[in-house]
Amino acid sequence: MGYVVRYGRMRILGACHPSAGVECARGDRVVIRGDRGVEMGEVLCPLSEKAAEALDGREPGEILRVADAVDLQHERGLPPLEKLAFATCEELIGRRRLQMNLVDVEILFGRERIIFYYLAEKRVDFRELVRDLARALRARIEMRQIGVRDEAKLLADYGDCGKPVCCNTHLTRMPPVSMKMAKLQKTTLDPSKVTGRCGRLKCCLRYEHDGYVEAGRELPPNGARVATAQGRGRVTGRDVLAGKLVVEYEDGRRIIIAAADVVAVEPRSPRGPRRSDPEPDGDPGAEEPA
């Protein structure tokens, strides 16, 4: 019997198997031994076959025990140490004039490892910095370069929707998001409204994208010539979710009709769309990196 456990500052999901005699329930705080060392985690659910397939292939960990009052007190003592480690690292970075921006620091529950998260535009030679930190903090040091989306995952709190940011709650992987998704969903293209706390396109644009794509397959594309009970015309707009089309007829009328009112869709000319034809919904935009 195993469990899915969430642990670490980056909210890692891993499969953990309990030691002999240890019984867990959903929501229990537990002390685990994983590939990074001894850490505090939270039990999410039993480890089913489907859950195991969804994990990222990390080495299985071991649940040592359900956290007791002593463990929780020990955990509450870590933030002051992390604050001291952060200040020490920033001082050493400034002293060596390294081109890097320190974002956060994580001290594992067992205190055998300290992880520093940083941003940098170029590759940074931090070997001397690591030696200085190891001497000052007397622990194993790990430097981990992150991107701006990971920075939001570490530091952001609430999004424009009023809820905690997705990257700091349930998202374990950052999906690629493009302007094509925003155009397909007919959302505003105002950068201030479609970008999240990380400055990139909001992850929630990805959530309904597949549904829009599936519904859009049932509708004629923009620019298609269609025949309806009211005559022949050209599709100039679509409301994918409502199943509605804006059709411009040969006499200049523009009427909103249901997709079911289309009698036939004429095949496109092999020479391609005319210059005056509208662009299809969701023109490809530059995808942002995960």
Side-chain angles (χ1 to χ4, degrees):
M1 178 65 176
Y3 299 91
V4 177
V5 178
R6 180 169 55 204
Y7 60 93
R9 192 62 53 85
M10 296 297 287
R11 306 177 69 82
I12 303 167
L13 297 182
C16 293
H17 300 280
S19 299
V22 177
E23 295 184 1
C24 305
R26 180 178 179 180
D28 280 350
R29 301 297 306 285
V30 292
V31 179
I32 68 169
R33 180 184 290 112
D35 55 350
R36 306 197 311 171
V38 177
E39 304 191 56
M40 185 77 82
E42 179 185 357
V43 175
L44 299 184
C45 64
L47 182 64
S48 64
E49 184 177 343
K50 184 176 181 181
E53 292 176 355
L55 298 179
D56 58 5
R58 285 182 170 271
E59 288 293 325
E62 179 186 6
I63 299 177
L64 301 178
R65 60 184 180 274
V66 176
D68 56 20
V70 175
D71 293 322
L72 297 176
Q73 179 64 31
H74 178 80
E75 184 184 36
R76 287 192 287 270
L78 295 179
L81 298 177
E82 291 173 340
K83 185 176 181 180
L84 177 61
F86 190 96
T88 301
C89 187
E90 276 202 320
E91 180 185 350
L92 293 172
I93 289 173
R95 187 181 303 171
R96 292 192 173 277
R97 299 182 179 180
L98 297 176
Q99 299 300 309
M100 57 192 296
N101 180 27
L102 189 62
V103 174
D104 203 1
V105 59
E106 177 183 11
I107 300 180
L108 300 192
F109 182 81
R111 302 190 184 183
E112 64 266 56
R113 181 182 303 196
I114 303 178
I115 304 172
F116 293 92
Y117 300 94
Y118 70 94
L119 292 171
E121 294 183 0
K122 299 179 181 179
R123 185 179 180 86
V124 179
D125 184 357
F126 48 70
R127 288 175 293 182
E128 293 299 325
L129 173 65
V130 169
R131 294 190 186 100
D132 292 343
L133 288 170
R135 282 194 295 266
L137 303 175
R138 297 184 180 277
R140 181 178 177 183
I141 304 300
E142 179 179 336
M143 306 297 297
R144 181 166 298 179
Q145 185 173 358
I146 60 175
V148 290
R149 298 180 79 184
D150 289 317
E151 180 186 19
K153 185 174 184 177
L154 287 168
L155 303 181
D157 43 18
Y158 292 89
D160 295 339
C161 59
K163 295 184 177 182
V165 290
C166 298
C167 57
N168 198 21
T169 51
H170 63 276
L171 284 184
T172 57
R173 297 182 180 88
M174 301 299 182
V177 186
S178 70
M179 285 301 297
K180 175 181 179 180
M181 298 175 185
K183 291 180 180 180
L184 181 60
Q185 296 175 40
K186 300 295 184 183
T187 187
T188 175
L189 300 182
D190 183 348
S192 65
K193 294 182 179 179
V194 295
T195 54
R197 295 291 299 273
C198 58
R200 300 290 182 87
L201 291 171
K202 292 180 178 179
C203 294
C204 52
L205 290 171
R206 160 70 68 174
Y207 299 161
E208 298 180 1
H209 176 67
D210 292 343
Y212 273 87
V213 171
E214 187 65 28
R217 292 194 182 104
E218 306 297 324
L219 302 178
N222 275 352
R225 298 284 175 173
V226 296
T228 72
Q230 302 182 56
R232 298 170 65 249
R234 182 167 56 95
V235 176
T236 59
R238 311 192 309 169
D239 187 333
V240 174
L241 293 187
K244 302 284 187 180
L245 301 172
V246 179
V247 178
E248 180 179 4
Y249 291 95
E250 294 176 341
D251 57 5
R253 294 174 299 150
R254 285 194 174 188
I255 301 177
I256 298 176
I257 66 170
D261 294 337
V262 174
V263 177
V265 179
E266 298 179 8
R268 282 185 175 272
S269 170
R271 63 182 174 84
R274 300 182 304 177
R275 183 181 297 272
S276 60
D277 284 345
E279 295 179 348
D281 285 343
D283 296 325
E287 286 200 355
E288 297 194 344

